[in-house]
């Protein structure tokens, strides 16, 4: 077999992309000779860095509940997707034993995005209100049917404004992502569920 290395420079340089080709004849007993090529590339430009797809303020944020002004606080659902430390708080009075609730982000115009991982940032105070058990869900039919993308149990935020990352084992593209919080860290004393950012 013959081996040749052919340097290839894409336009525009840099960085150069080097391609090495090797040829192995598979039929040498008469014309025509069939040649198969295998190649491996190195160099080039790295892929895009993952980014937060919910910070564009173009999608629709909804939640089971929010603190819309009690005692002068405005701890709205949109705070969970604004890339600041302002928090979302839901008293979740319908579920006092767990303070279970949900919050979701829907991309505009039917857009579907594949989310490979997500983060949750704890709020400024009251660690008993931190989410502890939850599931991340996805829907492409307006929320009629949901796929479970990730489930977390007994998670602990050890500090205020702590950001923790969670990979999605089998990502797929969805129009709506819902964080369904099944219980807070200590529902026996928590008066609400809260978090600073998703």
């Amino acid at each position: 077999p013959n081996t040749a290395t052919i340097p290839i420079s894409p336009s525009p340089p840099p960085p150069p992309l080097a391609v090495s080709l090797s040829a192995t004849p598979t039929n040498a007993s008469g014309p025509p000779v069939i040649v198969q090529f295998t190649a491996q590339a190195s160099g080039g430009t790295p892929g895009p860095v993952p980014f937060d797809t919910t910070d564009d303020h173009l999608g629709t944020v909804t939640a089971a509940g929010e603190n819309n002004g009690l005692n002068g606080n405005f701890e709205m659902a949109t705070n969970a997707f604004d890339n600041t430390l302002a928090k979302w708080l839901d008293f979740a009075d319908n579920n006092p034993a767990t303070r279970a609730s949900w919050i979701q982000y829907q991309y505009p115009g039917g857009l579907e995005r594949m989310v490979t991982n997500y983060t949750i940032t704890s709020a400024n105070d009251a660690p008993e209100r931190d989410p502890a058990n939850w599931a991340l869900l996805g829907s492409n039919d307006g929320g009629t049917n949901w796929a479970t993308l990730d489930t977390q149990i007994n998670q602990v935020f050890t500090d205020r404004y702590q950001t923790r990352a969670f990979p999605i084992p089998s990502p797929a593209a969805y129009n709506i992502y819902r964080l369904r919080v099944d219980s807070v860290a200590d529902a026996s004393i928590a008066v609400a569920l809260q978090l600073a950012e998703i």
Side-chain angles (χ1 to χ4, degrees):
N2 296 323
T3 301
T5 300
I6 304 170
I8 298 175
S9 297
S11 179
L17 178 66
V19 178
S20 177
L21 302 174
S22 63
T24 303
T26 59
N27 180 8
S29 61
V33 174
I34 298 171
V35 179
Q36 291 181 329
F37 289 91
T38 59
Q40 182 173 355
S42 61
T45 303
V49 176
F51 64 98
D52 189 340
T53 62
T54 61
D55 282 347
D56 56 12
H57 304 286
L58 299 177
T60 302
V61 177
T62 51
E66 61 188 6
N67 182 8
N68 57 2
L70 184 65
N71 300 324
N73 294 318
F74 293 94
E75 296 157 334
M76 310 297 286
T78 53
N79 291 350
F81 299 99
D82 65 357
N83 208 24
T84 74
L85 294 179
K87 70 183 175 186
W88 164 59
L89 183 143
D90 181 6
F91 289 106
D93 290 330
N94 293 335
N95 302 298
T98 60
R99 298 297 174 187
S101 186
W102 59 266
I103 186 170
Q104 69 185 34
Y105 187 94
Q106 181 172 13
Y107 294 103
L111 176 67
E112 297 175 6
R113 290 217 183 248
M114 181 184 297
V115 176
T116 59
N117 61 75
Y118 64 102
T119 62
I120 296 177
T121 303
S122 60
N124 61 318
D125 62 1
E128 69 273 11
R129 302 176 189 174
D130 292 342
N133 301 331
W134 68 79
L136 184 69
L137 311 174
S139 176
N140 281 328
D141 60 7
T144 301
N145 297 290
W146 294 95
T148 301
L149 308 176
D150 185 48
T151 303
Q152 297 293 328
I153 304 295
N154 296 326
Q155 294 299 317
V156 176
F157 291 83
T158 58
D159 205 354
R160 302 301 82 212
Y161 297 131
Q162 179 187 11
T163 300
R164 299 191 54 209
F166 302 90
I168 295 176
S170 298
Y174 291 96
N175 174 245
I176 308 173
Y177 285 88
R178 175 180 285 190
L179 182 70
R180 187 194 70 212
V181 179
D182 298 318
S183 68
V184 295
D186 188 351
S188 67
I189 60 173
V191 298
L193 158 69
Q194 66 182 24
L195 56 83
E197 187 75 9
I198 303 171

